[in-house]
Amino acid sequence: MPRLDPCYTRTPEMRAFVTRAVTVGDVYGNDFTTPEQQPTPVIADRPDEPASFRALLETDGRVEPRDEMPEGYRKTLVRQIAQHAHSEIIGMQPEGNWISRAPSLRRKAILMAKVQDEAGHGLYLYAAAETLGVDRADLLDQLHSGRQKYSSIFNYPTLTWADVGAIGWLVDGAAIVNQVPLCRCSYGPYARAMVRVCKEESFHQRQGFEILHTLSHGSEAQKAMAQDAVNRTWWPSLMMFGPPDDDSPNSAQSMAWGIKRFSNDDLRQRFIDMTVPQAEALGLTLPDDAIRWNEERGHYDFTPVDFTELFEVIRGNGPCNEQRLSHRVKAHEDGAWVREAAAAYADKQAARHAQEGAA
Amino acid sequence: MSQEPLWEVFIRSRRGMSHVHAGSLHAADAEMALRNARDVYTRRQEGVSIWVVPASAIEASSPDEKDAFFDPAGDKVYRHPTFYDVPEGVQHL
């Protein structure tokens, strides 16, 4: 798991602010709000919240599957965990595209291990969702019929080998920034799944960085390929953090419930602050002339993200939406005979055991 | 689609440690559950032994009865060594 930076540590007094977060925008760190910035309560004493649930949140306890919880909390988690799981398994496609064309056996073995990890991450997350009383088969149906979404980033194509590097470095890098705080999510099974995911994710980011570093220090054409991949991946990866806080209707409630710990804009800023020096180390540029260090803010400034593209991709108008989903549905249907054979074999074995037991 | 049964997975991380709950998965039978558990939960040598248990076979205490169930141990502090006064200077006790 990536090393936690110091702002993730907190005292119980600081924790008290988490359930009061509200003006999403200046909640950078529900964890270390100063008293003068103390926000007003967003969900003070909601009548439908069981007392045991409130008590757990107030003491930074973890909610476990059979505990009492408000229906809204359960539904929010099911939606978020399911969409997270869908993203992991759809995310296998853009990279899987390059397994047969990886430039060396070493790169091929690494890429296969990474894509296999993504399948594993999907499984951890589906299992976490099932603890909330839903069925994995139903969640897959909802993915296949388009009723549940997955991260829009996977609706972009991987045109060159350098895209595999850019995905590892930027897309997995952004995912890590989003996921590390989820390791402290108030719902136990989700938090535990995220701990496993984060541990594995850091290899993903490094291998991407290494691919780009190698290309960037190769021939002119290789460097140009790396730069082109970064140019195309940069803005979509910033969009992974979601719409700006003002346009993110569910954020405040999720923060109050301890599902989400930082606002979209704060996580985006954190990602940019980490990434700019890494781009310098790669010898590549980021496609935004406005990026420069702001001494006063202690952060890098950047051009605001144009979210019209994100909303278009969410609506289904991204470059690969149709291809990703139809490939997923086909893989599922083509695998039906394997599931049927396994079930038939299990039935036969069970019947045989029963017969032996009777004899 | 009919769903394969759910299995809970327990992993012994190394010899000398006990098996610890790692997560769950679906599989048609115990053998498939073990193979899937190896692929899902031990890709980085996280285990030397795996148990899989049908989730339906697990009986759990109820969170609703948590207080009544566990409280009886709450007022028996004399079960802890720190309950006892030891005269100053007494060692190995």
Side-chain angles (χ1 to χ4, degrees):
Chain A
M1 185 168 139
R3 194 165 49 84
L4 294 179
D5 79 37
C7 64
Y8 286 100
T9 62
R10 51 220 182 100
T11 65
E13 300 84 73
M14 289 168 171
R15 174 65 182 83
F17 294 115
V18 171
T19 45
R20 294 189 214 146
V22 210
T23 29
V24 186
D26 65 357
V27 255
Y28 186 84
N30 333 347
D31 296 339
F32 43 95
T33 320
T34 58
E36 2 6 319
Q37 298 171 305
Q38 189 173 325
T40 45
V42 70
I43 50 154
D45 298 327
R46 286 175 53 137
D48 60 323
E49 298 199 341
S52 58
F53 174 78
R54 301 249 9 126
L56 276 176
L57 288 192
E58 272 155 26
T59 53
D60 200 16
R62 293 291 177 268
V63 179
E64 294 295 340
R66 303 208 307 157
D67 289 336
E68 272 192 297
M69 61 185 90
E71 188 52 20
Y73 176 81
R74 197 186 72 85
K75 280 191 173 150
T76 300
L77 278 167
V78 168
R79 193 186 57 231
Q80 180 172 337
I81 300 173
Q83 298 194 358
H84 197 158
H86 300 333
S87 302
E88 298 284 354
I89 62 167
I90 294 283
M92 297 164 74
Q93 292 184 39
E95 291 178 292
N97 183 34
W98 281 91
I99 289 178
S100 62
R101 291 174 287 163
S104 69
L105 189 56
R106 175 178 183 268
R107 295 286 184 207
K108 187 191 288 238
I110 292 170
L111 189 55
M112 281 197 290
K114 179 178 190 296
V115 172
Q116 193 189 8
D117 273 355
E118 308 298 358
H121 296 175
L123 287 171
Y124 306 153
L125 287 160
Y126 284 121
E130 285 195 316
T131 64
L132 291 159
V134 292
D135 215 50
R136 186 177 73 190
D138 288 339
L139 299 178
L140 284 172
D141 277 347
Q142 296 195 47
L143 168 66
H144 297 161
S145 61
R147 277 170 295 156
Q148 281 183 343
K149 306 286 184 196
Y150 53 88
S151 178
S152 292
I153 192 79
F154 303 117
N155 286 322
Y156 292 88
T158 40
L159 303 175
T160 67
W161 168 251
D163 285 352
V164 176
I167 287 179
W169 178 44
L170 294 173
V171 175
D172 290 313
I176 290 171
V177 171
N178 260 330
Q179 288 171 345
V180 167
L182 287 173
C183 297
R184 292 194 295 104
C185 165
S186 61
Y187 188 59
Y190 191 24
R192 291 192 286 275
M194 293 319 301
V195 170
R196 299 186 68 88
V197 168
C198 285
K199 271 186 192 162
E200 300 181 353
E201 205 76 61
S202 49
F203 128 63
H204 298 179
Q205 195 191 14
R206 280 195 188 195
Q207 64 88 35
F209 185 90
E210 192 195 71
I211 288 173
L212 291 179
H213 193 268
T214 305
L215 289 172
S216 173
H217 294 78
S219 69
E220 292 248 329
Q222 286 171 329
K223 182 165 183 176
M225 190 204 280
Q227 184 62 60
D228 169 63
V230 169
N231 290 350
R232 282 182 288 108
T233 312
W234 175 246
W235 293 106
S237 63
L238 292 188
M239 291 176 203
M240 284 174 68
F241 295 95
D245 299 334
D246 301 339
D247 289 337
S248 183
N250 300 324
S251 276
Q253 182 62 72
S254 283
M255 285 182 139
W257 276 331
I259 296 173
K260 199 173 159 65
R261 300 290 190 176
F262 299 95
S263 77
N264 295 349
D265 285 334
D266 292 333
L267 291 169
R268 187 164 19 244
Q269 180 72 60
R270 180 177 303 194
F271 172 68
I272 291 169
D273 290 347
M274 283 170 29
T275 306
V276 172
Q278 291 173 0
E280 285 163 13
L282 284 173
L284 298 172
T285 58
L286 298 170
D288 179 0
D289 294 337
I291 289 181
R292 64 180 56 84
W293 180 252
N294 182 325
E295 193 69 58
E296 210 172 300
R297 291 201 310 128
H299 292 293
Y300 284 95
D301 288 339
F302 57 98
T303 306
V305 182
D306 177 5
F307 279 94
T308 46
E309 178 179 325
L310 175 71
F311 294 130
E312 274 309 298
V313 180
I314 291 177
R315 277 185 209 110
N317 301 324
C320 301
N321 294 49
E322 215 166 291
Q323 184 190 336
R324 297 289 183 242
L325 206 54
S326 60
H327 183 90
R328 170 67 218 149
V329 171
K330 183 172 185 301
H332 188 70
E333 286 169 356
D334 289 351
W337 72 270
V338 179
R339 295 188 293 275
E340 282 158 18
Y345 181 77
D347 288 347
K348 194 176 78 179
Q349 291 295 314
R352 192 170 291 170
H353 280 299
Q355 222 168 33
E356 281 165 12
Chain B
M1 170 193 151
S2 69
Q3 179 109 296
E4 294 170 337
L6 187 68
W7 302 77
E8 297 297 332
V9 179
F10 298 82
I11 292 177
R12 183 199 296 284
S13 56
R14 55 190 157 88
R15 300 187 67 82
M17 308 293 281
S18 53
H19 286 74
V20 174
H21 185 238
S24 53
L25 49 76
H26 290 280
D29 58 26
E31 193 186 337
M32 288 299 292
L34 273 177
R35 284 173 180 276
N36 291 351
R38 179 201 58 187
D39 291 344
V40 177
Y41 292 106
T42 64
R43 287 194 303 282
R44 289 174 176 75
Q45 297 184 296
E46 290 98 335
V48 295
S49 163
I50 300 176
W51 291 346
V52 289
V53 181
S56 59
I58 291 180
E59 199 63 45
S61 63
S62 160
D64 304 339
E65 293 158 20
K66 176 165 63 78
D67 294 344
F69 201 67
F70 294 106
D71 276 359
D75 59 356
K76 297 177 180 59
V77 282
Y78 44 81
R79 283 178 170 153
H80 297 277
T82 46
F83 177 74
Y84 299 91
D85 292 327
V86 175
E88 204 159 319
V90 175
Q91 289 186 331
H92 308 300
L93 188 70

Short mmCIF file of all heavy atoms in Angstrom, two decimals, chain A residues 132-171:
data_model
loop_
_atom_site.label_atom_id
_atom_site.label_comp_id
_atom_site.label_asym_id
_atom_site.label_seq_id
_atom_site.Cartn_x
_atom_site.Cartn_y
_atom_site.Cartn_z
N LEU A 132 -23.93 -6.75 1.43
CA LEU A 132 -25.04 -5.83 1.65
C LEU A 132 -26.36 -6.43 1.17
O LEU A 132 -27.36 -5.73 1.03
CB LEU A 132 -24.77 -4.50 0.95
CG LEU A 132 -23.62 -3.70 1.58
CD1 LEU A 132 -23.04 -2.70 0.59
CD2 LEU A 132 -24.10 -2.98 2.84
N GLY A 133 -26.33 -7.72 0.86
CA GLY A 133 -27.59 -8.40 0.54
C GLY A 133 -27.96 -8.37 -0.93
O GLY A 133 -29.10 -8.58 -1.28
N VAL A 134 -27.02 -8.09 -1.82
CA VAL A 134 -27.32 -8.16 -3.25
C VAL A 134 -26.59 -9.36 -3.84
O VAL A 134 -25.73 -9.96 -3.21
CB VAL A 134 -26.90 -6.87 -4.00
CG1 VAL A 134 -27.76 -5.71 -3.58
CG2 VAL A 134 -25.42 -6.57 -3.77
N ASP A 135 -26.97 -9.69 -5.07
CA ASP A 135 -26.46 -10.86 -5.74
C ASP A 135 -25.49 -10.43 -6.85
O ASP A 135 -25.82 -9.55 -7.64
CB ASP A 135 -27.67 -11.53 -6.39
CG ASP A 135 -27.54 -13.01 -6.37
OD1 ASP A 135 -27.25 -13.55 -5.30
OD2 ASP A 135 -27.75 -13.61 -7.45
N ARG A 136 -24.32 -11.07 -6.92
CA ARG A 136 -23.37 -10.67 -7.96
C ARG A 136 -23.97 -10.83 -9.35
O ARG A 136 -23.76 -9.99 -10.23
CB ARG A 136 -22.09 -11.51 -7.85
CG ARG A 136 -21.02 -11.04 -8.82
CD ARG A 136 -19.75 -11.83 -8.67
NE ARG A 136 -19.87 -13.18 -9.19
CZ ARG A 136 -18.95 -14.15 -9.02
NH1 ARG A 136 -17.87 -13.90 -8.32
NH2 ARG A 136 -19.13 -15.34 -9.52
N ALA A 137 -24.74 -11.89 -9.53
CA ALA A 137 -25.34 -12.13 -10.85
C ALA A 137 -26.25 -10.95 -11.25
O ALA A 137 -26.27 -10.53 -12.40
CB ALA A 137 -26.12 -13.43 -10.84
N ASP A 138 -26.98 -10.40 -10.26
CA ASP A 138 -27.85 -9.26 -10.56
C ASP A 138 -27.04 -8.03 -10.92
O ASP A 138 -27.40 -7.25 -11.80
CB ASP A 138 -28.73 -8.91 -9.35
CG ASP A 138 -29.81 -9.95 -9.15
OD1 ASP A 138 -30.11 -10.67 -10.12
OD2 ASP A 138 -30.33 -10.03 -8.02
N LEU A 139 -25.91 -7.84 -10.18
CA LEU A 139 -25.08 -6.67 -10.46
C LEU A 139 -24.52 -6.76 -11.88
O LEU A 139 -24.49 -5.77 -12.62
CB LEU A 139 -23.94 -6.56 -9.45
CG LEU A 139 -24.37 -6.39 -7.98
CD1 LEU A 139 -23.14 -6.34 -7.08
CD2 LEU A 139 -25.21 -5.13 -7.79
N LEU A 140 -24.11 -7.98 -12.27
CA LEU A 140 -23.58 -8.15 -13.64
C LEU A 140 -24.68 -7.87 -14.67
O LEU A 140 -24.43 -7.24 -15.69
CB LEU A 140 -23.00 -9.56 -13.81
CG LEU A 140 -21.64 -9.77 -13.15
CD1 LEU A 140 -21.23 -11.24 -13.22
CD2 LEU A 140 -20.56 -8.90 -13.79
N ASP A 141 -25.90 -8.34 -14.37
CA ASP A 141 -27.01 -8.04 -15.28
C ASP A 141 -27.18 -6.54 -15.46
O ASP A 141 -27.43 -6.06 -16.56
CB ASP A 141 -28.33 -8.59 -14.71
CG ASP A 141 -28.51 -10.06 -15.05
OD1 ASP A 141 -27.76 -10.56 -15.91
OD2 ASP A 141 -29.39 -10.70 -14.43
N GLN A 142 -27.06 -5.82 -14.34
CA GLN A 142 -27.26 -4.37 -14.42
C GLN A 142 -26.14 -3.70 -15.22
O GLN A 142 -26.37 -2.71 -15.92
CB GLN A 142 -27.32 -3.77 -13.02
CG GLN A 142 -28.52 -4.28 -12.26
CD GLN A 142 -28.81 -3.45 -11.04
OE1 GLN A 142 -28.84 -2.23 -11.10
NE2 GLN A 142 -29.01 -4.10 -9.91
N LEU A 143 -24.93 -4.24 -15.11
CA LEU A 143 -23.83 -3.72 -15.93
C LEU A 143 -24.13 -4.00 -17.40
O LEU A 143 -24.05 -3.11 -18.25
CB LEU A 143 -22.51 -4.39 -15.53
CG LEU A 143 -21.32 -4.18 -16.48
CD1 LEU A 143 -20.90 -2.71 -16.52
CD2 LEU A 143 -20.13 -5.05 -16.08
N HIS A 144 -24.52 -5.25 -17.69
CA HIS A 144 -24.71 -5.66 -19.08
C HIS A 144 -25.87 -4.93 -19.75
O HIS A 144 -25.87 -4.70 -20.95
CB HIS A 144 -24.93 -7.17 -19.16
CG HIS A 144 -23.75 -7.95 -18.67
ND1 HIS A 144 -23.81 -9.27 -18.28
CD2 HIS A 144 -22.45 -7.59 -18.50
CE1 HIS A 144 -22.61 -9.67 -17.89
NE2 HIS A 144 -21.78 -8.67 -18.01
N SER A 145 -26.87 -4.55 -18.95
CA SER A 145 -28.02 -3.86 -19.54
C SER A 145 -27.84 -2.35 -19.47
O SER A 145 -28.74 -1.60 -19.84
CB SER A 145 -29.30 -4.28 -18.81
OG SER A 145 -29.20 -3.91 -17.45
N GLY A 146 -26.70 -1.90 -18.99
CA GLY A 146 -26.43 -0.46 -18.97
C GLY A 146 -27.08 0.30 -17.83
O GLY A 146 -27.01 1.52 -17.78
N ARG A 147 -27.71 -0.43 -16.89
CA ARG A 147 -28.36 0.28 -15.77
C ARG A 147 -27.34 0.76 -14.74
O ARG A 147 -27.59 1.69 -14.00
CB ARG A 147 -29.42 -0.61 -15.11
CG ARG A 147 -30.76 -0.58 -15.86
CD ARG A 147 -31.69 -1.66 -15.30
NE ARG A 147 -31.16 -2.99 -15.56
CZ ARG A 147 -31.47 -4.08 -14.84
NH1 ARG A 147 -32.28 -3.99 -13.81
NH2 ARG A 147 -30.94 -5.26 -15.13
N GLN A 148 -26.20 0.07 -14.66
CA GLN A 148 -25.14 0.57 -13.79
C GLN A 148 -23.93 0.92 -14.64
O GLN A 148 -23.66 0.27 -15.65
CB GLN A 148 -24.76 -0.49 -12.74
CG GLN A 148 -25.74 -0.52 -11.59
CD GLN A 148 -25.33 -1.51 -10.50
OE1 GLN A 148 -24.51 -2.39 -10.72
NE2 GLN A 148 -25.92 -1.36 -9.34
N LYS A 149 -23.21 1.95 -14.20
CA LYS A 149 -22.10 2.47 -15.00
C LYS A 149 -20.76 1.93 -14.50
O LYS A 149 -20.68 1.32 -13.44
CB LYS A 149 -22.06 4.00 -14.90
CG LYS A 149 -23.37 4.68 -15.27
CD LYS A 149 -23.58 4.64 -16.75
CE LYS A 149 -24.85 5.42 -17.12
NZ LYS A 149 -25.30 5.09 -18.48
N TYR A 150 -19.72 2.22 -15.25
CA TYR A 150 -18.35 1.97 -14.82
C TYR A 150 -17.58 3.24 -15.15
O TYR A 150 -18.09 4.13 -15.84
CB TYR A 150 -17.77 0.75 -15.54
CG TYR A 150 -17.88 0.82 -17.04
CD1 TYR A 150 -16.88 1.44 -17.80
CD2 TYR A 150 -19.00 0.32 -17.70
CE1 TYR A 150 -17.00 1.55 -19.18
CE2 TYR A 150 -19.11 0.42 -19.08
CZ TYR A 150 -18.12 1.04 -19.80
OH TYR A 150 -18.24 1.15 -21.17
N SER A 151 -16.34 3.32 -14.66
CA SER A 151 -15.57 4.55 -14.84
C SER A 151 -15.38 4.88 -16.32
O SER A 151 -14.98 4.04 -17.12
CB SER A 151 -14.21 4.40 -14.16
OG SER A 151 -13.46 5.57 -14.37
N SER A 152 -15.65 6.13 -16.66
CA SER A 152 -15.59 6.56 -18.05
C SER A 152 -14.21 6.44 -18.68
O SER A 152 -14.08 6.37 -19.89
CB SER A 152 -16.01 8.03 -18.14
OG SER A 152 -17.35 8.14 -17.84
N ILE A 153 -13.19 6.39 -17.83
CA ILE A 153 -11.82 6.35 -18.36
C ILE A 153 -11.61 5.15 -19.27
O ILE A 153 -10.80 5.19 -20.19
CB ILE A 153 -10.81 6.31 -17.18
CG1 ILE A 153 -9.38 6.57 -17.68
CG2 ILE A 153 -10.85 5.00 -16.43
CD1 ILE A 153 -9.07 7.99 -17.93
N PHE A 154 -12.37 4.07 -19.05
CA PHE A 154 -12.14 2.86 -19.84
C PHE A 154 -12.86 2.89 -21.18
O PHE A 154 -12.82 1.93 -21.93
CB PHE A 154 -12.51 1.62 -19.02
CG PHE A 154 -11.72 1.57 -17.73
CD1 PHE A 154 -12.35 1.62 -16.50
CD2 PHE A 154 -10.34 1.51 -17.77
CE1 PHE A 154 -11.62 1.62 -15.32
CE2 PHE A 154 -9.59 1.50 -16.60
CZ PHE A 154 -10.24 1.56 -15.37
N ASN A 155 -13.53 4.02 -21.46
CA ASN A 155 -14.15 4.16 -22.76
C ASN A 155 -13.23 4.85 -23.77
O ASN A 155 -13.67 5.23 -24.85
CB ASN A 155 -15.46 4.95 -22.63
CG ASN A 155 -16.54 4.09 -22.00
OD1 ASN A 155 -16.61 2.90 -22.29
ND2 ASN A 155 -17.33 4.68 -21.13
N TYR A 156 -11.96 5.00 -23.39
CA TYR A 156 -10.98 5.54 -24.35
C TYR A 156 -10.15 4.37 -24.90
O TYR A 156 -9.90 3.40 -24.20
CB TYR A 156 -10.08 6.56 -23.66
CG TYR A 156 -10.82 7.83 -23.27
CD1 TYR A 156 -11.47 7.92 -22.04
CD2 TYR A 156 -10.90 8.90 -24.15
CE1 TYR A 156 -12.17 9.07 -21.69
CE2 TYR A 156 -11.60 10.04 -23.81
CZ TYR A 156 -12.23 10.12 -22.58
OH TYR A 156 -12.93 11.25 -22.23
N PRO A 157 -9.71 4.50 -26.16
CA PRO A 157 -8.95 3.40 -26.78
C PRO A 157 -7.48 3.39 -26.36
O PRO A 157 -6.96 4.43 -25.93
CB PRO A 157 -9.06 3.72 -28.28
CG PRO A 157 -9.22 5.21 -28.35
CD PRO A 157 -9.92 5.63 -27.08
N THR A 158 -6.83 2.24 -26.47
CA THR A 158 -5.37 2.18 -26.28
C THR A 158 -4.74 2.02 -27.66
O THR A 158 -4.64 0.92 -28.18
CB THR A 158 -4.97 0.98 -25.39
OG1 THR A 158 -5.77 -0.15 -25.74
CG2 THR A 158 -5.18 1.28 -23.93
N LEU A 159 -4.33 3.15 -28.22
CA LEU A 159 -3.89 3.15 -29.62
C LEU A 159 -2.47 2.67 -29.80
O LEU A 159 -2.13 2.10 -30.84
CB LEU A 159 -4.02 4.58 -30.19
CG LEU A 159 -5.42 5.20 -30.11
CD1 LEU A 159 -5.39 6.64 -30.59
CD2 LEU A 159 -6.42 4.38 -30.91
N THR A 160 -1.61 2.92 -28.81
CA THR A 160 -0.20 2.53 -28.94
C THR A 160 0.26 1.82 -27.67
O THR A 160 -0.42 1.87 -26.64
CB THR A 160 0.72 3.74 -29.13
OG1 THR A 160 0.72 4.52 -27.92
CG2 THR A 160 0.25 4.62 -30.29
N TRP A 161 1.42 1.22 -27.74
CA TRP A 161 1.99 0.56 -26.55
C TRP A 161 2.20 1.58 -25.42
O TRP A 161 2.05 1.26 -24.24
CB TRP A 161 3.31 -0.13 -26.91
CG TRP A 161 4.08 -0.57 -25.70
CD1 TRP A 161 5.25 -0.02 -25.23
CD2 TRP A 161 3.71 -1.58 -24.76
NE1 TRP A 161 5.63 -0.65 -24.07
CE2 TRP A 161 4.70 -1.62 -23.75
CE3 TRP A 161 2.63 -2.48 -24.67
CZ2 TRP A 161 4.67 -2.50 -22.68
CZ3 TRP A 161 2.59 -3.35 -23.60
CH2 TRP A 161 3.59 -3.36 -22.62
N ALA A 162 2.52 2.81 -25.78
CA ALA A 162 2.75 3.83 -24.75
C ALA A 162 1.49 4.08 -23.93
O ALA A 162 1.56 4.51 -22.77
CB ALA A 162 3.23 5.14 -25.39
N ASP A 163 0.32 3.81 -24.50
CA ASP A 163 -0.92 3.98 -23.74
C ASP A 163 -0.96 3.06 -22.52
O ASP A 163 -1.55 3.39 -21.49
CB ASP A 163 -2.14 3.70 -24.63
CG ASP A 163 -2.41 4.87 -25.59
OD1 ASP A 163 -1.75 5.91 -25.45
OD2 ASP A 163 -3.28 4.73 -26.46
N VAL A 164 -0.33 1.89 -22.64
CA VAL A 164 -0.28 0.97 -21.51
C VAL A 164 0.53 1.62 -20.37
O VAL A 164 0.17 1.55 -19.20
CB VAL A 164 0.33 -0.39 -21.91
CG1 VAL A 164 0.47 -1.31 -20.70
CG2 VAL A 164 -0.54 -1.05 -22.97
N GLY A 165 1.61 2.32 -20.75
CA GLY A 165 2.39 3.05 -19.75
C GLY A 165 1.59 4.20 -19.15
O GLY A 165 1.58 4.40 -17.93
N ALA A 166 0.89 4.96 -20.01
CA ALA A 166 0.14 6.12 -19.52
C ALA A 166 -1.01 5.68 -18.61
O ALA A 166 -1.33 6.34 -17.62
CB ALA A 166 -0.39 6.94 -20.70
N ILE A 167 -1.62 4.54 -18.93
CA ILE A 167 -2.70 4.04 -18.07
C ILE A 167 -2.15 3.69 -16.69
O ILE A 167 -2.70 4.07 -15.66
CB ILE A 167 -3.40 2.81 -18.70
CG1 ILE A 167 -4.25 3.27 -19.89
CG2 ILE A 167 -4.27 2.09 -17.68
CD1 ILE A 167 -4.95 2.14 -20.60
N GLY A 168 -1.02 2.97 -16.67
CA GLY A 168 -0.44 2.59 -15.39
C GLY A 168 -0.06 3.81 -14.57
O GLY A 168 -0.40 3.92 -13.39
N TRP A 169 0.62 4.74 -15.21
CA TRP A 169 1.11 5.90 -14.47
C TRP A 169 -0.03 6.85 -14.06
O TRP A 169 -0.17 7.19 -12.88
CB TRP A 169 2.13 6.66 -15.33
CG TRP A 169 2.66 7.90 -14.68
CD1 TRP A 169 3.06 8.04 -13.38
CD2 TRP A 169 2.83 9.18 -15.29
NE1 TRP A 169 3.48 9.34 -13.15
CE2 TRP A 169 3.35 10.04 -14.31
CE3 TRP A 169 2.59 9.67 -16.59
CZ2 TRP A 169 3.64 11.39 -14.57
CZ3 TRP A 169 2.89 11.00 -16.85
CH2 TRP A 169 3.40 11.86 -15.85
N LEU A 170 -0.87 7.24 -15.02
CA LEU A 170 -1.87 8.27 -14.73
C LEU A 170 -3.20 7.69 -14.23
O LEU A 170 -3.74 8.15 -13.23
CB LEU A 170 -2.11 9.13 -15.98
CG LEU A 170 -0.90 9.97 -16.42
CD1 LEU A 170 -1.20 10.66 -17.75
CD2 LEU A 170 -0.53 11.00 -15.35
N VAL A 171 -3.72 6.69 -14.93
CA VAL A 171 -5.03 6.17 -14.55
C VAL A 171 -4.94 5.42 -13.22
O VAL A 171 -5.73 5.65 -12.30
CB VAL A 171 -5.61 5.27 -15.66
CG1 VAL A 171 -6.91 4.62 -15.21
CG2 VAL A 171 -5.83 6.09 -16.92
#
